[in-house]
Amino acid sequence: MPQIGSLRHQVAVENPTRAADGQGGFTETWAASSPSPVWANIEPATPAKLERMAGNSVEGIITHLVTLRYHAGLTIRSRFVFESRAFAVRGWQNMDERDQWMRVSCEEVLA
């Protein structure tokens, strides 16, 4: 179970939304999910940490693990934004299946 003091990164939780472009199509933008921002711990994903999460198999695209309090608005299409960096959600683990803590597998999105 994480300690509250380890949550030292304030991140925005964003989900994609569609906005009409006025010509019958749409553009996809990002909107904050409630609650946002939240406190989280962002750490580089090492093979040892990934093996613990995936049961002895390594996920190749996962670059970071983000730990935070349970967030019901998080989806597989969500992203975290920390300062100028974005992390796309690739999966998560509901720690202890108690809806209190989440460990999220992410891929850093490079612009």
Side-chain angles (χ1 to χ4, degrees):
M1 194 74 55
Q3 298 293 320
I4 295 294
S6 69
L7 307 180
R8 62 187 186 281
H9 303 101
Q10 192 172 30
V11 300
V13 180
E14 297 181 341
N15 287 317
T17 60
R18 292 182 175 185
D21 65 5
Q23 299 176 352
F26 66 89
T27 57
E28 193 165 87
T29 60
W30 293 96
S33 177
S34 182
S36 182
V38 297
W39 289 97
N41 181 44
I42 301 171
E43 59 184 323
T46 63
K49 290 176 186 169
L50 291 176
E51 286 178 17
R52 279 196 296 262
M53 281 191 66
N56 295 328
S57 65
V58 177
E59 301 288 329
I61 62 170
I62 305 305
T63 61
H64 291 79
L65 299 175
V66 178
T67 304
L68 68 153
R69 288 190 174 274
Y70 184 80
H71 193 295
L74 198 70
T75 72
I76 199 70
R77 298 187 66 214
S78 299
R79 73 177 185 177
F80 296 108
V81 177
F82 173 66
E83 296 178 351
S84 63
R85 300 167 68 188
F87 301 89
V89 172
R90 298 296 182 223
W92 64 83
Q93 175 186 30
N94 183 352
M95 298 168 70
D96 297 329
E97 297 297 326
R98 297 179 60 198
D99 294 347
Q100 292 182 349
W101 293 97
M102 301 176 84
R103 182 166 292 126
V104 184
S105 303
C106 296
E107 177 182 7
E108 186 166 8
V109 180
L110 302 175

